[in-house]
């Protein structure tokens, strides 16, 4: 309807609750479902520390000839920054589906198989690099043992530990009827439409209140909010707000 690109494959276990009804609107997206301001600050802080470490490394290897002295520091910076970036900028997969009866969404995160391939190649490249550098400066022999060895152990633990892979695999599916929503909010500082709900969970005797973050593609949140409004119960407030930490 709004030209959303469905570029993610849905989990095979996913069964939409309202699958018997036509999809009025739906899309998939990979989004950072956490406080991005804090994560970005953490990345900048670590980048400063890494750059400082590279300068110390450069001064320690003053006896090394160029360009190997500079290349070793650049390699250290790029590798460490990539590791930090993979931790501070993780993304979750989301799928949203709207129908006449309500709204449902699925969020999932599969174990990154690409990480195993990357670690395998990185271990080999790092080993070759340090062995080659050790022919120029014997002090690199220690690095040739520590760096590739640590990467190799990490690869083995990730590849052969089912509990580790399960820990990094997530799947959740939620479904709500339109009358369960109590507020709609367009988040001004993120590409998010927030829906507050009030429901009685199956098996419970009390009301549960919460919020759903609908992650939207760029410049689409206002259109999504306008699409949702006619389906809400009369009197449900529609506001604009700022959200530092997404709600669930």
């Amino acid at each position: 309807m709004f030209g959303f690109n469905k570029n993610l494959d849905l989990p095979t276990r996913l069964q939409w609750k309202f699958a018997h009804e036509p999809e009025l609107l739906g899309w998939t997206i990979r989004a950072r479902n956490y406080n991005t301001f804090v994560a970005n600050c953490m990345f900048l802080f670590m980048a400063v520390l890494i750059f400082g470490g590279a300068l110390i490394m450069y001064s320690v290897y003053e006896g090394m000839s160029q360009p190997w002295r500079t290349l070793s520091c650049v390699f250290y910076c790029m590798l460490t920054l990539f590791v930090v970036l993979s931790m501070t900028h993780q993304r979750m997969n989301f799928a949203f589906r709207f129908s006449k009866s309500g709204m449902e969404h699925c969020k999932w995160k599969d174990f990154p198989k690409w990480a195993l391939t990357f670690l395998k190649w990185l271990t080999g490249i790092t080993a070759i690099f340090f062995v080659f550098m050790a022919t120029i400066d014997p002090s690199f022999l220690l690095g040739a043992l520590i760096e590739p060895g640590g990467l190799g152990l990490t690869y083995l633990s990730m590849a052969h530990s089912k509990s580790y892979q399960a820990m990094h695999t997530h799947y959740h599916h939620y479904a709500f009827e339109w009358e369960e929503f109590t507020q709609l909010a367009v988040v001004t500082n993120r590409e998010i439409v927030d829906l507050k709900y009030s429901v009685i969970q199956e098996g419970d005797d009390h009301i549960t209140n919460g919020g759903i973050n609908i992650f939207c593609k760029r410049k689409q949140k206002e259109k999504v909010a306008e699409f949702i409004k006619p389906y809400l119960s009369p009197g449900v407030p529609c506001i604009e707000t700022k959200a530092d930490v997404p709600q669930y």
Side-chain angles (χ1 to χ4, degrees):
M1 181 176 180
F2 298 139
F4 295 118
N5 295 319
K6 297 185 178 181
N7 52 359
L8 295 177
D9 294 328
L10 297 176
T12 55
R13 74 176 92 172
L14 175 61
Q15 296 291 329
W16 295 118
K17 180 179 179 180
F18 306 124
H20 59 284
E21 298 180 351
E23 178 182 294
L24 303 178
L25 177 65
W27 70 92
T28 60
I29 188 173
R30 299 183 71 244
R32 300 171 68 189
N33 58 329
Y34 47 84
N35 191 323
T36 55
F37 176 77
V38 173
N40 292 339
C41 289
M42 290 176 60
F43 176 76
L44 291 176
F45 175 74
M46 292 302 299
V48 172
L49 291 182
I50 292 169
F51 181 72
L55 292 179
I56 295 174
M57 182 177 174
Y58 187 84
S59 63
V60 169
Y61 293 142
E62 59 182 352
M64 184 185 300
S65 60
Q66 294 288 4
W68 306 115
R69 185 183 181 188
T70 301
L71 288 176
S72 61
C73 296
V74 171
F75 178 79
Y76 163 78
C77 273
M78 292 181 62
L79 175 61
T80 314
L81 280 174
F82 177 81
V83 173
V84 173
L85 187 69
S86 66
M87 293 186 292
T88 60
H89 286 63
Q90 296 186 49
R91 296 176 184 270
M92 180 75 76
N93 300 319
F94 290 89
F96 298 93
R97 187 179 190 273
F98 298 81
S99 62
K100 185 178 180 180
S101 294
M103 171 268 180
E104 50 189 320
H105 76 283
C106 173
K107 63 177 182 179
W108 74 98
K109 186 176 182 181
D110 299 322
F111 179 76
K113 298 294 185 181
W114 62 266
L116 296 177
T117 303
F118 174 79
L119 271 178
K120 183 189 297 184
W121 281 95
L122 182 61
T123 301
I125 294 173
T126 304
I128 295 173
F129 173 80
F130 275 97
V131 169
F132 176 76
M133 295 302 294
T135 61
I136 302 173
D137 188 338
S139 62
F140 274 91
L141 283 174
L142 181 60
L145 294 174
I146 296 176
E147 290 290 337
L151 291 172
L153 290 176
T154 302
Y155 168 78
L156 291 175
S157 65
M158 292 174 63
H160 300 288
S161 175
K162 292 184 178 180
S163 60
Y164 181 88
Q165 295 187 20
M167 183 176 64
H168 289 80
T169 302
H170 305 277
Y171 174 86
H172 298 282
H173 174 221
Y174 306 92
F176 298 89
E177 297 182 1
W178 290 117
E179 57 267 23
E180 294 174 331
F181 294 116
T182 58
Q183 177 183 285
L184 181 148
V186 177
V187 179
T188 57
N189 61 319
R190 296 283 301 271
E191 295 299 322
I192 294 174
V193 173
D194 179 77
L195 282 173
K196 295 290 190 300
Y197 63 82
S198 181
V199 300
I200 298 179
Q201 301 285 359
E202 185 176 350
D204 292 339
D205 56 358
H206 62 276
I207 296 177
T208 300
N209 298 313
I212 302 171
N213 292 136
I214 302 176
F215 294 93
C216 305
K217 299 293 180 69
R218 188 178 298 275
K219 298 181 180 180
Q220 295 288 351
K221 60 185 177 184
E222 288 81 8
K223 294 181 180 179
V224 172
E226 290 299 321
F227 170 84
I228 293 174
K229 285 180 182 179
Y231 294 95
L232 300 176
S233 301
V236 171
C238 301
I239 64 173
E240 290 187 351
T241 187
K242 181 179 179 180
D244 294 322
V245 181
Q247 301 180 23
Y248 305 97

